[in-house]
Amino acid sequence: MGDRERNKKRLLELLRAPDTGNAHCADCGAADPDWASYKLGIFICLNCCGVHRNFPDISRVKSVRLDFWDDSIVEVAVVLQFMIHNGNLRVKAKFEARVPAFYYIPQANDCLVLKEQWIRAKYERREFMADGETISLPGNREGFLWKRGRDNSQFLRRKFVLLAREGLLKYFTKEQGKSPKAVISIKDLNATFQTEKIGHPHGLQITYRRDGHTRNLFVYHESGKEIVDWFNALRAARLQYLKMAFPELPESELVPFLTRNYLKQGFMEKTGPKKEPFKKRWFALDCHERRLLYYKNPLDAFEQGQVFLGNKEQGYEAYEDLPKGIRGNRWKAGLTIVTPERRFVLTCPSEKEQQEWLESLRGVLSSPLTPLNRLTASTESGRSSR
């Protein structure tokens, strides 16, 4: 066996070694990473590898399976010993020693800007090492973001001010304006990166409750660091609020409610309670608030309707197919959501989408309500409009 094959075999053995964490990407947790940073001693996935390439003074990467690991390129014996000594769990313990509870750690399916800033914060800026400065909750924050107009697709520069202790986020239409266009309570706020929907790699969707509706703000910043810093500042402000609102709950139970992604989004067609013609709508499932929201267009400022999703014991159900005598318009793969108040009849563009929606909806309906869910349940439970 030649040097290349022998070295590759040893690397693959390292990937499979138990109690090392090497079977998952050291940065985003993706399964079966097949790249290695031999300068840091970790195994990473292809997406995170692309970020590591941007700072070669800190990280040097090679493919475990595709690149040549022979003695003429690197001192393989030294590299292998280094990676044996380190490994993902040991390196994570070093560089993630003090990650604040509010800081979002990206997962495999998250957008690139979150992964990039997480990796840079860990290895380039070394923000979370044990011997670093003490990290405290961010306080007030002020800056400019590009915000999409409510009634058009134009993005305009707007001033945003976060008052963490007061639990408020404000934005202004004029740079020196004294009266904010909106004052948003942190209590009702959520932030989620929606880069594809917004059409910008740093696109952030901020939602909040207003007059019984969910208001959407679509924003971005040219700087990836700036938009991720805003995102984590909003999470920190949410953590402060939740600690005061639910002092009896441990921090670990509050963290999942700082911000949340939609469990599923996409187009379906729906009919009304009087069997009106099916109309195409954009749906978004918020599993933490147990709401299925629907819009005429994905970037609408307000939803057209929403469905609160309790659990099975309360009479909520989702099942495949349509009620007898009802046929979809263009799409035939149907599903029905049953609530104590009414039935919501929907059709999906394909059977695959139908099954994905059913799986997501049933996952919410089978889960028990949390104390935070009960705040949502206290409002109208099945409001529907256009």
Side-chain angles (χ1 to χ4, degrees):
M1 182 185 297
D3 290 344
R4 293 175 181 176
E5 291 303 315
R6 183 176 61 253
N7 293 333
K8 181 183 292 187
K9 181 181 178 182
R10 294 180 67 188
L11 284 165
L12 292 173
E13 289 172 352
L14 277 178
L15 269 175
R16 295 188 290 265
D19 303 323
T20 62
N22 293 343
H24 292 84
C25 174
D27 294 325
C28 75
D32 303 318
D34 54 6
W35 289 78
S37 171
Y38 56 87
K39 198 164 185 177
L40 290 170
I42 55 175
F43 292 94
I44 53 179
C45 69
L46 176 61
N47 288 332
C48 291
C49 164
V51 179
H52 280 256
R53 289 185 185 277
N54 292 325
F55 37 90
D57 291 342
I58 299 170
S59 181
R60 295 287 180 91
V61 296
K62 291 174 70 69
S63 171
V64 174
R65 293 178 171 85
L66 300 179
D67 284 335
F68 295 139
W69 291 75
D70 57 31
D71 297 337
S72 64
I73 297 176
V74 292
E75 296 181 22
V76 173
V78 176
V79 169
L80 288 172
Q81 286 301 316
F82 178 70
M83 297 198 72
I84 291 170
H85 176 73
N86 287 281
N88 287 7
L89 288 183
R90 287 188 178 183
V91 175
K92 283 168 67 68
K94 174 183 177 181
F95 286 97
E96 300 178 22
R98 297 184 310 115
V99 181
F102 65 82
Y103 198 100
Y104 184 80
I105 300 176
Q107 304 301 302
N109 293 327
D110 281 317
C111 61
L112 181 60
V113 68
L114 276 170
K115 294 179 182 179
E116 179 182 15
Q117 293 308 313
W118 165 241
I119 291 168
R120 288 189 177 278
K122 281 173 62 176
Y123 307 117
E124 191 174 49
R125 300 193 293 270
R126 301 193 170 205
E127 293 181 7
F128 313 124
M129 294 183 67
D131 57 356
E133 296 182 5
T134 301
I135 302 173
S136 58
L137 284 172
N140 297 344
R141 185 176 182 85
E142 181 177 319
F144 291 91
L145 300 173
W146 291 92
K147 175 190 168 294
R148 188 180 190 272
R150 169 179 167 178
D151 300 317
N152 58 56
S153 58
Q154 186 178 11
F155 281 83
L156 300 172
R157 193 168 181 261
R158 296 292 184 244
K159 179 182 176 181
F160 282 76
V161 177
L162 174 63
L163 304 172
R165 289 199 175 98
E166 290 85 346
L168 298 173
L169 174 68
K170 302 178 181 181
Y171 80 87
F172 300 78
T173 56
K174 296 181 180 179
E175 292 191 10
Q176 303 301 325
K178 295 183 179 180
S179 299
K181 177 68 174 178
V183 179
I184 303 165
S185 171
I186 293 297
K187 169 182 176 293
D188 301 317
L189 180 144
N190 182 47
T192 173
F193 277 93
Q194 297 290 321
T195 59
E196 292 186 10
K197 186 164 72 174
I198 295 173
H200 193 280
H202 304 160
L204 184 70
Q205 179 177 343
I206 299 172
T207 65
Y208 62 97
R209 303 290 295 164
R210 196 178 93 179
D211 301 327
H213 288 271
T214 298
R215 173 73 164 99
N216 297 317
L217 304 179
F218 301 101
V219 301
Y220 72 85
H221 195 282
E222 299 91 337
S223 164
K225 182 178 184 303
E226 186 71 14
I227 197 68
V228 172
D229 284 350
W230 267 104
F231 177 63
N232 282 307
L234 293 172
R235 286 174 56 85
R238 284 273 300 163
L239 182 58
Q240 289 188 53
Y241 157 71
L242 291 174
K243 282 184 171 181
M244 291 186 293
F246 301 95
E248 73 281 4
L249 295 180
E251 188 175 75
S252 59
E253 291 187 23
L254 300 177
V255 167
F257 290 89
L258 301 187
T259 56
R260 69 266 178 193
N261 293 320
Y262 292 114
L263 184 60
K264 183 167 176 60
Q265 297 185 87
F267 282 110
M268 291 190 285
E269 289 186 338
K270 70 173 290 294
T271 183
K274 298 181 180 179
K275 300 183 181 179
E276 295 92 343
F278 279 83
K279 294 181 180 179
K280 186 178 178 181
R281 295 291 182 258
W282 176 266
F283 285 79
L285 178 56
D286 184 337
C287 62
H288 284 184
E289 284 205 348
R290 308 180 76 103
R291 291 184 187 273
L292 179 66
L293 305 129
Y294 55 91
Y295 304 82
K296 187 174 182 181
N297 298 297
L299 296 178
D300 283 350
F302 290 99
E303 88 282 7
Q304 291 197 319
Q306 58 182 267
V307 185
F308 176 77
L309 302 171
N311 55 30
K312 291 181 178 179
E313 289 73 18
Q314 298 171 314
Y316 292 84
E317 186 181 356
Y319 61 84
E320 188 175 338
D321 217 343
L322 303 174
K324 186 177 181 180
I326 295 180
R327 293 178 62 84
N329 182 11
R330 292 176 297 173
W331 300 334
K332 309 305 178 185
L335 62 89
T336 301
I337 301 172
V338 179
T339 76
E341 289 78 22
R342 60 166 282 196
R343 296 184 177 205
F344 294 83
V345 180
L346 311 167
T347 59
C348 305
S350 68
E351 291 185 0
K352 178 177 180 293
E353 281 287 300
Q354 176 200 50
Q355 294 305 312
E356 289 178 358
W357 275 110
L358 280 170
E359 182 181 353
S360 299
L361 289 165
R362 288 169 175 169
V364 175
L365 297 177
S366 63
S367 63
L369 272 69
T370 68
L372 274 70
N373 292 149
R374 295 188 184 100
L375 290 180
T376 302
S378 66
T379 63
E380 52 195 322
S381 61
R383 182 171 57 80
S384 173
S385 54
R386 299 177 294 278

